[in-house]
Amino acid sequence: MSVCTCQAKIGPSILNADFACLGDESKRVMEAGADYLHLDVMDGNFVPNITFGATMVKSLRKQLPDSFFDIHMMVSAPEQWVDDMADAGADQYTFHLEATDDPVALIKQIRAKGMKVGIAIKPGTPVEKVLPYVDQVDMVLVMTVEPGFGGQSFMADMMPKVELLRQKYPGLDIEVDGGLSPKTIDTAAKAGANMIVSGSAIVKSPDPAAVIQELRTVVQKYLN
Ligand code: DX5
Ligand code: ZN
């Protein structure tokens, strides 16, 4: 059971929303009670899909001046977009460990621009690789699908990574991303995840507020 001393936070991903209406879709999920917005930036190189960049983040910021934006950078050159994302209004810059040779320099670069730092690992990356950096970041993202697309199945075999992080770091924000829904949330929450990204389950639901509340209730059940 989790011994987390942190808060339950639900962050919808709008990856599977209608991209012609991202402003309205983002507002809709925030008004439904989300704690933050998880924005998936893909470059067609680090992952086999392309989404959007800082220009879109800037436009969404105008629509949602006060929401917390966690930018999930699925890009090959995360160093390249730090300034643009900060200027666009990003609150947190979550980069992939696999995409950089110098995580420490990148963390410093992100902090210098006043953003929080998230560090993400793909399913094939052992959790031990991220341990040297945990003390320097605000959040660790354990991917529970191969990054690139929404609507994939949750990989429960990633939970030992979450359990190990939670055991070592009771106060750490641990985010899970991919295939999270009312069906899979118990497994993730029990392992110790407290920041829950959920795309299709929220965006495609006729009652997003109910889904968000259900996810949060399950996470809270396992928090101290
Ligand atoms: C996958 C993205 C996720 C994903 C979440 O590459 O990082 O944020 O789209 O969507 P669902 O919840 O549909 O898996
Ligand atoms: Zn994501």
Side-chain angles (χ1 to χ4, degrees):
M1 178 165 306
S2 161
V3 287
C4 180
T5 52
C6 38
Q7 284 186 321
K9 292 178 199 159
I10 312 301
S13 156
I14 44 155
L15 183 59
N16 273 9
D18 181 346
F19 268 31
C21 323
L22 278 193
D24 288 345
E25 289 286 276
S26 301
K27 273 199 215 165
R28 191 168 71 95
V29 293
M30 291 311 300
E31 283 164 9
D35 297 287
Y36 66 101
L37 198 61
H38 176 91
L39 295 169
D40 289 304
V41 173
M42 304 187 188
D43 67 351
N45 190 355
F46 184 73
V47 289
N49 195 6
I50 296 177
T51 54
F52 50 77
T55 310
M56 175 64 79
V57 174
K58 192 172 184 177
S59 294
L60 293 176
R61 176 52 81 206
K62 282 189 201 141
Q63 299 280 317
L64 290 163
D66 302 320
S67 300
F68 188 91
F69 285 1
D70 169 32
I71 317 293
H72 181 190
M73 299 298 294
M74 288 164 275
V75 301
S76 293
E79 296 80 8
Q80 194 175 338
W81 311 109
V82 172
D83 290 9
D84 286 357
M85 284 298 172
D87 295 345
D91 295 291
Q92 177 163 294
Y93 195 93
T94 300
F95 69 89
H96 268 268
L97 179 60
E98 303 87 358
T100 179
D101 294 330
D102 195 345
V104 173
L106 180 53
I107 291 165
K108 281 191 190 139
Q109 192 190 346
I110 297 166
R111 291 232 184 270
K113 294 302 284 188
M115 294 182 286
K116 287 182 133 188
V117 182
I119 187 165
I121 48 171
K122 296 205 283 186
T125 302
V127 69
E128 287 74 21
K129 297 251 183 199
V130 86
L131 296 181
Y133 311 106
V134 174
D135 286 334
Q136 302 168 52
V137 301
D138 298 289
M139 188 199 85
V140 175
L141 163 53
V142 175
M143 288 302 297
T144 47
V145 296
E146 282 300 336
F149 300 92
Q152 303 182 76
S153 298
F154 175 74
M155 298 168 72
D157 54 340
M158 294 299 116
M159 292 306 99
K161 296 184 184 180
V162 175
E163 285 162 10
L164 184 138
L165 285 167
R166 179 55 69 220
Q167 190 198 353
K168 282 186 181 294
Y169 303 96
L172 177 67
D173 277 328
I174 303 176
E175 186 179 62
V176 283
D177 181 12
L180 272 305
S181 73
K183 285 196 180 121
T184 54
I185 187 63
D186 200 80
T187 304
K190 192 174 182 180
N194 69 300
M195 291 182 68
I196 311 298
V197 176
S198 179
S200 351
I202 293 174
V203 167
K204 305 244 181 248
S205 167
D207 190 352
V211 177
I212 290 169
Q213 191 49 48
E214 187 175 353
L215 297 175
R216 187 183 292 114
T217 301
V218 176
V219 176
Q220 279 167 345
K221 188 173 84 178
Y222 290 101
L223 297 180
N224 276 355

